[in-house]
């Protein structure tokens, strides 16, 4: 494939009660996301000729989210909480419920 190797800073945010958070598909390609919800790296003006990413669903948003730096996998938030994952020799294919899965 064509992996998206960019690092992106997603700022902390405070959200109004009752707001819904979009759930984005895991595209595993470049660009992994295009839109306004995840920091300046992904703004449509920075990814020319690409359509904004459509959410696959929504979940209730928490009141406050921490800032974090992300790559193809989550990296670390502003409180230095980190997580990692490996899919060495792994392959999967899945479709979201709204896309026939």
């Amino acid at each position: 494939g064509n992996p998206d190797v960019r690092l992106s800073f997603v700022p902390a945010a405070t959200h109004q009660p009752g707001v819904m958070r979009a759930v984005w598909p895991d595209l595993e390609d470049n660009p992994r996301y295009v839109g306004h919800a995840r920091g300046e790296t992904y703004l449509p003006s920075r990814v020319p000729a690409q359509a904004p990413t459509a959410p696959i669903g929504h979940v209730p948003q928490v009141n406050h989210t921490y800032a974090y730096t992300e790559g193809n996998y989550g990296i670390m938030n502003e409180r230095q909480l980190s997580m990692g994952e490996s899919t060495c020799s792994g392959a999967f294919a899945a479709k979201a419920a709204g896309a026939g899965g």
Side-chain angles (χ1 to χ4, degrees), residues 42-95:
Y42 304 114
L43 293 176
S45 61
R46 292 188 176 211
V47 190
Q50 296 288 336
T53 306
I56 59 173
H58 293 82
V59 296
Q61 177 64 277
V62 297
N63 292 337
H64 180 77
T65 53
Y66 292 114
Y68 60 97
T69 300
E70 70 169 17
N72 250 0
Y73 300 102
I75 297 174
M76 183 183 300
N77 76 9
E78 67 185 83
R79 302 293 177 125
Q80 298 180 352
L81 174 66
S82 301
M83 67 176 246
E85 181 272 345
S86 175
T87 53
C88 294
S89 300
F92 69 92
K95 287 185 178 182

